[in-house]
């Protein structure tokens, strides 16, 4: 190899001599006699370092080669890269160039066995991986840098594979074989599982250290953080969320928004229901507790589907706004796991198993299925979701599901008030930033107020009841009005359950005539059949229990519903198993509704004039956009 004198000007003579000794006979020039200003110093340095490495054996790279590269940088870069960014950053660039040169040599020599290892090192040197980690189900993830933000992607995802392909192609101008990629993936997967942290990834909403987060699912991976101190849109939030393909980006909420603009899009029947729906929507941004199923019913043309679709768009925008109910339990669990809020449209009936699955999804439950038939690994779903359903008739009639529901009836929209969906969607999109901003304003107030809420006794959905009181007050209403509205709704659900049961109808009549009854199940069956004769109930009907044991099963199913109307049922074990039935002083419905003497005024009750709701029910505010 031949060096011209000017090629190695200002390089320490001992290093230059050593380079001459180590180089082969191929002639090349370092071209290091010119200074490099800002703008070209980076690219020029990379080329020079590459030539240094290519001209000497690998065993001397970290000694002679590195010192020569440092000397070149400090002498000819104005200012030097080491002085600007520090030696650690310079060392990373050096390691990256070393990796490229090593791969080139291995390919020339026909060695491909280390290509996957080299690819792993090359990806690390790219500085595009911020962190490797797993979620609570042991799925491996990487937090990667994409342009000016970070994203959480599964290591086995096509996006992470594309990232590796890009890094390799940008380095060498060609693609890498699939085997090397697959082998590299196993390394990243292992490092995530055995060296990375574990994070609980959520869909759309999360709670971290008493601060709430809402994923905007936009391309910048931004999120809204809200707490009692306020709310803000945050760039590069903590590792909190996983993304799914069906999710659509949410608009950025506006400051000084107005949540009551929602009123224009809700075909509500009365003031109590409007307060309940509004409270339910705001509470849906708060994760970590059971939310009742929003159960809409009404005749054709009452905009049930439209309302669910707009609520979905508001809370959890998705390409799948409404979905049919999956009857298969495994498919239903998987579907629920992929949405924060899921809306089941146009249901005609709910099977016992589907009703049970929805109950568990509200309360929170774990579900597993086999990953592959070739191994024993399970895919685990831990589900607690916010659910809406609709149908012409009330489809959720099982007591357990009704107890976890808000039942809202919508009225048919008159011909003169009908609008095209495209027109509604356009207006909704225009109002969405303001509505969303108003919701976050309300949540900030509600979080502050929640600690002041005190309720002596409450319904089964205790967390929702407390949050509902706080949200109602944050909206400018009162906890008493919310409790009254919720109590009326619960009472309607309870009456419906008992009316649909032949035993329920007969027992209600029995307790009306007798404040207390004691006896065996057989005695009670005989007593109730006498009542059935008075009520013209056919005891040969398939809904009537055929034996005393079936009667006991039906009573246990209805026990909570009876309790909410003030009828208590208890079983005692002596020589015989006795049943005791009596009237309580106050029903749970009355307790919830009358938590305070300040109840909803009479002029709200049974009001079907929806135009009066904004001024008569929550806040004296005009919803006209022009004011």
């Amino acid at each position: 190899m031949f060096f011209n004198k000017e090629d190695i000007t200002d390089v320490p003579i001992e290093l230059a001599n050593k380079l001459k000794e180590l180089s082969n006979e191929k002639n090349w020039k370092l071209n290091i006699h010119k200074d490099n200003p800002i703008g070209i110093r980076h690219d020029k340095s990379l080329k020079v370092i590459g030539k240094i490495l290519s001209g000497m054996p690998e065993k001397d790279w970290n000694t002679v080669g590195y010192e020569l590269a440092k000397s070149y940088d400090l002498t000819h870069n104005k200012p030097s890269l080491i002085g600007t960014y520090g030696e650690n950053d310079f060392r990373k660039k050096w390691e990256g160039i070393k990796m490229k040169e090593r791969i080139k040599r291995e390919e020339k020599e026909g060695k491909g066995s280390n290509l996957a290892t080299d690819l792993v090192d090359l990806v690390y040197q790219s500085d595009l991986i911020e962190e490797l980690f797993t979620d609570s189900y042991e799925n491996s993830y990487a937090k990667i840098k994409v342009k000016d933000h970070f994203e959480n992607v599964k290591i086995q995802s096509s996006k992470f594979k594309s990232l590796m392909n890009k890094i390799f192609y940008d380095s060498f101008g060609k693609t890498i074989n699939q085997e090397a990629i697959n082998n590299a993936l196993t390394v990243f997967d292992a490092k995530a599982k055995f060296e990375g942290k574990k994070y609980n990834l959520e869909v759309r909403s999360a709670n971290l250290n008493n601060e709430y987060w809402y994923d905007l699912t936009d391309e910048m991976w931004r999120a809204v953080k809200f707490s009692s101190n306020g709310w803000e849109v945050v760039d590069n939030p903590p590792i909190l969320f996983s993304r799914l393909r069906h999710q659509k980006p949410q608009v950025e909420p506006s400051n000084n928004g107005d949540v009551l603009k929602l009123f224009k899009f809700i075909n509500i029947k009365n003031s109590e229901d409007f307060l309940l729906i509004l409270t339910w929507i705001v509470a849906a941004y708060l994760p970590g507790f059971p939310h009742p199923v929003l159960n809409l019913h009404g005749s054709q043309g009452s905009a049930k589907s439209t309302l669910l679709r707009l609520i979905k768009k508001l809370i959890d925008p998705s390409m799948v706004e409404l979905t049919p109910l999956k009857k298969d339990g495994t498919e239903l669990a998987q579907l629920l796991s992929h949405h924060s809020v899921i809306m089941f449209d146009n249901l005609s009936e709910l099977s016992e198993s589907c009703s049970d699955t929805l109950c568990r999804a509200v309360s929170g439950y774990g579900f597993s299925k086999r990953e592959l038939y070739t191994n024993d690994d399970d895919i685990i779903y831990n589900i607690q979701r916010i659910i809406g359903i609709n149908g012409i008739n009330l489809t959720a009639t099982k007591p357990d599901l009704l107890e976890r529901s808000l039942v809202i009836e919508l009225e048919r929209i008159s011909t003169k008030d009908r609008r095209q969906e495209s027109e509604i969607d356009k207006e909704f999109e225009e109002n969405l930033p303001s509505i969303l901003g108003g919701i976050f304003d309300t949540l900030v107030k509600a979080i502050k107020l929640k600690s002041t809420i005190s309720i002596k006794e409450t319904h089964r959905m205790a967390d929702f009841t407390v949050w509902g009181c706080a949200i109602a007050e944050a909206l400018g209403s009162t906890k008493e009005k919310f409790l009254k509205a919720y109590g009326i709704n619960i009472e309607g659900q309870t009456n419906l359950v008992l009316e649909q049961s032949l035993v329920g109808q007969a027992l209600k009549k029995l307790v009306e005539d007798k404040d207390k009854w004691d006896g065996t199940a057989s005695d009670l069956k005989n007593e109730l059949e006498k009542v059935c004769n008075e009520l013209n109930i056919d005891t040969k009907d398939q809904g009537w229990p055929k034996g005393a044991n079936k009667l006991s099963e039906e009573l246990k199913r209805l026990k909570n519903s009876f309790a909410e109307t003030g009828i208590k049922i208890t079983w005692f074990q002596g020589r015989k198993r006795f049943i005791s039935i009596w009237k309580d002083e106050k029903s749970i419905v009355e307790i919830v509704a009358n938590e305070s003497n300040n109840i909803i005024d009479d002029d709200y009750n049974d009001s079907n004039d929806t135009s009066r709701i904004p001024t008569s029910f929550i806040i004296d505010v005009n919803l006209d956009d022009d004011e």
Side-chain angles (χ1 to χ4, degrees), residues 98 142 164 198 230 232 270 287 295 330 336 341 385 400 430 453 477 482 516 546 553 586 605:
K98 270 173 47 181
M164 290 196 296
K198 180 174 289 188
E232 61 177 327
N270 56 57
N295 193 340
T330 301
L336 288 165
V341 176
R385 292 296 181 255
D400 280 354
E430 292 170 352
I453 300 298
S477 184
F482 171 77
K516 193 172 189 301
K546 304 308 178 187
E553 290 177 7
K586 272 207 278 188
N605 295 332

Side-chain angles (χ1 to χ4, degrees), residues 203-204 214 217 244-250 309 311-323 335 338-343:
V203 178
R204 190 65 72 176
Y214 175 79
T217 60
L244 298 158
R245 290 182 180 179
H246 70 84
Q247 291 180 303
K248 293 174 66 175
Q250 181 61 282
R309 188 170 56 79
I311 292 174
K312 172 72 172 176
K313 193 187 296 282
L314 176 61
I315 306 170
D316 187 24
S318 167
M319 291 183 286
V320 183
E321 293 179 336
L322 302 174
T323 183
L335 181 63
H338 288 175
H339 295 258
S340 171
V341 176
I342 188 163
M343 301 300 190

Side-chain angles (χ1 to χ4, degrees), residues 86 154 411 485 500 571:
K154 283 187 175 181
E411 287 191 329
Q500 290 185 335
W571 282 259

Side-chain angles (χ1 to χ4, degrees), residues 443-458:
L443 285 164
V444 170
K445 295 176 185 176
I447 294 169
K448 291 179 182 178
L449 290 167
K450 182 174 179 283
S451 61
T452 68
I453 300 298
S454 176
I455 303 174
K456 294 177 182 177
E457 296 184 56
T458 185

Side-chain angles (χ1 to χ4, degrees), residues 289-291 293 332-333 336 342 344 355-365 383-387 404:
F289 64 90
H291 296 68
V293 174
L332 180 56
L336 288 165
I342 188 163
F344 296 109
S355 182
D356 289 343
T357 300
L358 295 184
C359 285
R360 293 196 297 271
V362 167
S363 301
Y365 81 110
I383 302 169
Q384 186 175 67
R385 292 296 181 255
I386 299 167
I387 299 167
R404 296 172 172 85

Side-chain angles (χ1 to χ4, degrees), residues 276-301:
L276 290 176
I277 285 186
L278 195 57
T279 302
W280 186 92
I281 290 171
V282 175
Y285 291 80
L286 297 163
F289 64 90
H291 296 68
V293 174
L294 182 59
N295 193 340
L296 303 181
H297 67 106
S299 62
Q300 291 178 338

Side-chain angles (χ1 to χ4, degrees), residues 35-45 77:
D35 290 342
N36 308 317
I38 292 175
I40 67 169
R41 58 181 178 155
H42 182 269
D43 290 342
K44 185 66 178 294
S45 296
N77 287 329

